[in-house]
Amino acid sequence: MKTKAILLLAIFTTCSAYSQLGIGRLATADKKYDKYAYIDAIEIYEKVAEKGHKSADLFEKLGNSYYFNGEYDKAERWYGELFAMTNDVEPEYYFRYAQALKAVGKYDKADEYLIKFFQKTNNPTGEELQNNKDYLKQLRVNSDRYTVENAGINTEFSDYGAFLKGDEVIFTSARSTGDVFQKKHTWTGQYFTRLFTAKAGEDGMLSDAKEFSKDLDSKFNEATPVFTKDGNTVYFTRNNYNDGKKGKSSDKINKLKIYKATLKDGKWTDVTELPFNNDNYSVAHPALSADEKTLYFSSDMPGTLGQSDIFRVAINDNGTFGSPENLGPAINTPMRETFPFITDKNVLYFASDDHLGIGGLDVFEAKMNKDGSFTAIKNVGAPVNSAKDDFGYVVNSKTHIGYFTSNRDGGVGSDDIYKFKENVCEQLLKGTITDKETAAALPGAKVSLFDANMELIKAVEANENGDFAFEENIDCDKKYYVRAENPDYETKEISVSIPLKSGESRADIALEKRIKPIDVGTDLAKIFDISIIYFDLDKWNIRPDAAVDLEKIIAVMKQYPNMKVDIRSHTDSRQTHKYNERLSDRRAKSTLEYMVKNGIERSRLSAKGFGETQLVNGCSDGVPCSEAEHQKNRRSEFIILSM
């Protein structure tokens, strides 16, 4: 009561023209606001504001009423009035104002308020924003990934939540059904939603929209269905209402629940709620894994990290359910994550308003690993995402045609369904496995493809020409590892970075034999891929890293006790001829002494330095050459003189 009195006093002293009638209007508006009748509340609040009344409470509620209906551009005005009056507000208003600012294109100011929000809440996205000031530019890089257009069945009412079911799309709509008793929702001012169906053409455009089935209708909202592949089971979202009974939470709110129904003799029957529903929290927007053994959904149940999170739950063989599992901070944030969808390739799509986005809810994707964890999330970018809310992304992974919902500017109604065609970046990764010495093909070689985390994706055998190819599992803009194996050769593995454009990438691999043939005249340095025995600058003492390579030569000479080797040292031309000859000779003899010290008889070794007299390219005195070209001349040779 004391607080109320102070508030009323403030109203009278700051706005003397404000009448008792205005106070009554505010009280009426507040009652509607408290009952989530935002459309009616807005009408009264705006009339009061037009009379000159100003208060933080009024601006908060006006902003919220528009914000909760997704009208961010209108919310921006009233949140702006709020912050012009005071900064002493709850942290979430900084976040809502930032989202509203994005909706009208004021991104710099939006980031300013986002940073303030992150500082006040220690939200981890704050660090991401600080480290990615150009995130908007990055989100627009992939703008040619999609071709987007209105799906063709939208109305002035809210249409959203498409599901692909064969050659039809089942969606949610607040449009009129012609039913005399059809009720409107005071929150949105639109009819309670029902499920509708539309035919999908080969190009994905929708037509002939009609109500899906009255079997699933109730007094309240039905939305976001998902069907099993056989079409006989549906999971869908509905307000807490079944068998004529309306349930409410402890604070008198009618929450959302997921229900299940079965098709029998052409009718949907046995409508039952799932066991993890609860009157005191919402469970909504179901999605099925490809094997239909896991149900994904959005909820604010206990264990939620933010306002709503993505969860999953196991569907057991006997039809029972496991315990819901939060997907964790890799996916969920302190704000909203909702509308999950998972493809048959285990790519999870969902909407979030916290991860860095273009505005409102943005669509994100993350690949699920074999252990059930997820790779780093990625914003799908424009044009799917806009300055407003974008959500409900579904796609056919074979045709690359899909749908999403948006309340972006230029639409027909408050929420519209958009069709997209994914302009797929297709890559073929292929190569040839050969013998390094002879370049001959190695048919039958095992070739394995690994992802960036060294998880095996697929293994194939090289054909009769030594060729192999990977096509189905290759994603653009990703890194892979390719490993080649042959029983007679050393296993070799290389990394391949796939570009962000369609085409072919190669991964040719030349394998070295495990047992290499050697004979008189063979250079053991080439056998062991020793290009140079390293010495410190202008010195000839054996360095530790050079000793590792020399041990390979020593091991072979011990294996062949009659082998004699001539050690030859060469330099590049970047000193005087005399200097290079003396330096190389000292290094050759130093190498000999090391080998003698380590068990090779002196009589089996000879050593000579050739300086710059045997260059392998044209990098002689006065000829400009790169460091790599000079490097080819700085080499050590171990020539077999006899066996």
Side-chain angles (χ1 to χ4, degrees):
M1 294 296 292
K2 183 177 181 181
T3 304
K4 182 71 171 178
I6 293 173
L7 176 61
L8 290 175
L9 178 62
I11 291 172
F12 283 121
T13 55
T14 58
C15 185
S16 58
Y18 196 63
S19 66
Q20 187 65 40
L21 178 61
I23 297 297
R25 284 180 174 178
L26 268 182
T28 300
D30 287 344
K31 287 180 180 179
K32 293 183 178 296
Y33 179 91
D34 291 340
K35 292 181 178 180
Y36 308 105
Y38 295 127
I39 300 301
D40 293 338
I42 286 172
E43 184 178 355
I44 300 173
Y45 283 142
E46 286 195 331
K47 286 181 180 178
V48 170
E50 287 169 3
K51 295 292 185 180
H53 173 62
K54 294 183 179 182
S55 75
D57 183 68
L58 173 64
F59 295 146
E60 284 180 5
K61 289 176 177 175
L62 251 176
N64 289 344
S65 296
Y66 280 120
Y67 185 88
F68 295 149
N69 270 311
E71 297 186 80
Y72 300 141
D73 48 349
K74 295 179 181 178
E76 185 266 341
R77 173 189 173 186
W78 300 110
Y79 287 145
E81 293 281 4
L82 172 64
F83 279 98
M85 174 176 285
T86 179
N87 288 319
D88 184 21
V89 296
E90 294 297 318
E92 60 259 31
Y93 285 97
Y94 285 86
F95 180 83
R96 293 173 192 168
Y97 188 33
Q99 295 290 57
L101 287 165
K102 285 185 177 183
V104 295
K106 299 178 182 179
Y107 284 99
D108 289 341
K109 191 172 182 179
D111 287 348
E112 175 188 333
Y113 276 83
L114 274 178
I115 289 172
K116 290 178 180 178
F117 168 73
F118 295 143
Q119 289 172 342
K120 290 176 178 291
T121 60
N122 294 318
N123 187 305
T125 309
E127 184 176 351
E128 188 180 354
L129 174 58
Q130 295 280 26
N131 296 332
N132 294 276
K133 294 294 180 65
D134 294 330
Y135 72 95
L136 282 171
K137 186 184 298 182
Q138 296 169 15
L139 296 183
R140 290 174 176 137
V141 168
N142 287 346
S143 60
D144 59 351
R145 174 179 170 183
Y146 297 97
T147 301
V148 171
E149 57 186 316
N150 193 295
I153 43 80
N154 293 302
T155 65
E156 62 183 291
F157 299 97
S158 180
D159 301 292
Y160 70 96
F163 176 81
L164 290 73
K165 185 175 181 286
D167 61 353
E168 63 179 330
V169 168
I170 314 300
F171 65 98
T172 307
S173 180
R175 67 187 64 192
S176 172
T177 61
D179 189 340
V180 176
F181 301 103
Q182 191 175 4
K183 293 183 177 181
K184 286 189 175 182
H185 199 313
T186 54
W187 180 315
T188 62
Q190 298 191 20
Y191 294 112
F192 282 99
T193 60
R194 294 182 179 179
L195 301 183
F196 288 76
T197 178
K199 292 181 180 179
E202 289 187 4
D203 61 354
M205 292 301 292
L206 304 181
S207 62
D208 300 329
K210 60 184 179 181
E211 191 171 2
F212 174 64
S213 173
K214 290 190 177 295
D215 298 337
L216 300 178
D217 286 350
S218 71
K219 289 183 178 181
F220 301 103
N221 293 300
E222 280 78 40
T224 54
V226 58
F227 295 80
T228 53
K229 292 175 184 176
D230 62 13
N232 292 328
T233 302
V234 61
Y235 299 90
F236 64 99
T237 306
R238 177 192 280 177
N239 285 106
N240 186 356
Y241 182 88
N242 201 27
D243 291 332
K245 297 178 182 179
K246 179 181 177 182
K248 288 188 176 182
S249 63
S250 56
D251 54 356
K252 308 301 182 185
I253 298 174
N254 184 233
K255 302 284 188 176
L256 298 175
K257 291 185 175 183
I258 294 177
Y259 292 83
K260 176 183 177 182
T262 305
L263 186 64
K264 294 179 180 178
D265 299 324
K267 290 191 175 184
W268 292 100
T269 62
D270 302 327
V271 178
T272 57
E273 66 172 270
L274 300 192
F276 46 86
N277 288 329
N278 191 286
D279 290 348
N280 288 310
Y281 53 77
S282 285
V283 178
H285 314 315
L288 275 172
S289 61
D291 61 8
E292 301 182 353
K293 293 182 178 180
T294 306
L295 187 75
Y296 292 78
F297 60 91
S298 176
S299 180
D300 60 348
M301 64 173 55
T304 301
L305 304 180
Q307 294 178 6
S308 65
D309 284 358
I310 307 296
F311 290 78
R312 64 184 167 199
V313 63
I315 303 175
N316 301 319
D317 293 339
N318 61 2
T320 60
F321 292 83
S323 298
E325 172 195 0
N326 189 301
L327 293 192
I331 300 296
N332 295 312
T333 70
M335 304 309 287
R336 291 185 297 170
E337 277 70 46
T338 186
F339 288 94
F341 170 75
I342 190 155
T343 71
D344 54 4
K345 294 184 178 180
N346 284 329
V347 179
L348 174 71
Y349 291 91
F350 64 97
S352 173
D353 61 3
D354 194 351
H355 298 291
L356 292 183
I358 298 175
L361 289 168
D362 271 25
V363 176
F364 294 82
E365 63 179 325
K367 176 78 173 179
M368 186 169 71
N369 300 314
K370 288 183 179 180
D371 63 357
S373 63
F374 289 89
T375 60
I377 69 161
K378 182 179 180 181
N379 188 307
V380 303
V384 167
N385 288 324
S386 69
K388 299 290 184 69
D389 282 333
D390 307 288
F391 57 96
Y393 181 109
V394 296
V395 64
N396 182 319
S397 58
K398 294 182 176 60
T399 64
H400 301 288
I401 292 174
Y403 304 89
F404 69 94
T405 303
S406 179
N407 63 347
R408 64 187 59 193
D409 295 337
V412 177
S414 55
D415 290 316
D416 285 342
I417 297 172
Y418 289 83
K419 185 214 82 171
F420 67 80
K421 172 71 174 178
E422 193 173 13
N423 304 317
V424 181
C425 181
E426 296 179 334
Q427 270 280 339
L428 173 66
L429 176 58
K430 63 182 184 179
T432 304
I433 310 301
T434 57
D435 181 301
K436 184 175 182 179
E437 294 294 325
T438 66
L442 295 178
K446 180 182 178 182
V447 187
S448 301
L449 178 69
F450 297 85
D451 65 16
N453 298 317
M454 291 307 297
E455 290 283 341
L456 177 65
I457 299 173
K458 190 176 182 180
V460 298
E461 282 191 2
N463 65 17
E464 65 275 10
N465 299 314
D467 298 328
F468 69 91
F470 296 105
E471 184 173 10
E472 294 180 356
N473 301 285
I474 302 302
D475 294 329
C476 296
D477 197 27
K478 294 287 180 67
K479 183 178 182 179
Y480 295 93
Y481 292 92
V482 179
R483 179 184 299 167
E485 300 172 79
N486 183 297
D488 297 328
Y489 291 79
E490 297 288 345
T491 297
K492 187 174 181 179
E493 187 176 279
I494 64 171
S495 64
V496 184
S497 294
I498 306 299
L500 187 59
K501 61 180 180 180
S502 295
E504 293 183 357
S505 297
R506 291 199 65 85
D508 298 318
I509 301 179
L511 299 181
E512 295 185 67
K513 282 190 174 180
R514 294 183 187 275
I515 302 175
K516 302 179 182 181
I518 55 176
D519 204 347
V520 173
T522 297
D523 181 2
L524 292 175
K526 290 183 178 179
I527 293 293
F528 292 108
D529 197 23
I530 301 171
S531 60
I532 183 172
I533 297 298
Y534 286 96
F535 298 85
D536 290 325
L537 183 64
D538 294 332
K539 295 183 180 180
W540 48 89
N541 55 297
I542 300 296
R543 284 182 8 185
D545 49 353
V548 173
D549 285 331
L550 286 178
E551 289 297 335
K552 299 175 184 177
I553 308 296
I554 292 169
V556 172
M557 293 192 72
K558 288 181 177 179
Q559 185 179 357
Y560 296 91
N562 295 322
M563 179 186 290
K564 291 186 177 182
V565 171
D566 185 34
I567 304 167
R568 302 173 186 179
S569 180
H570 303 269
T571 68
D572 59 37
S573 63
R574 292 182 297 181
Q575 274 288 0
T576 65
H577 181 86
K578 185 175 182 180
Y579 175 88
N580 284 333
E581 186 174 5
R582 291 172 60 188
L583 178 63
S584 63
D585 196 62
R586 286 172 179 169
R587 288 179 171 177
K589 288 179 170 57
S590 177
T591 301
L592 182 149
E593 293 300 329
Y594 179 88
M595 295 176 69
V596 170
K597 183 179 177 181
N598 284 274
I600 304 301
E601 296 90 340
R602 188 178 297 275
S603 61
R604 299 172 60 196
L605 297 169
S606 57
K608 184 178 180 180
F610 290 84
E612 58 183 280
T613 62
Q614 295 184 3
L615 301 175
V616 296
N617 54 29
C619 295
S620 56
D621 291 340
V623 177
C625 287
S626 67
E627 181 61 33
E629 290 171 319
H630 283 302
Q631 174 68 57
K632 292 179 180 179
N633 292 313
R634 298 196 303 273
R635 66 197 189 280
S636 300
E637 297 174 326
F638 297 84
I639 308 300
I640 299 175
L641 299 178
S642 65
M643 295 287 289

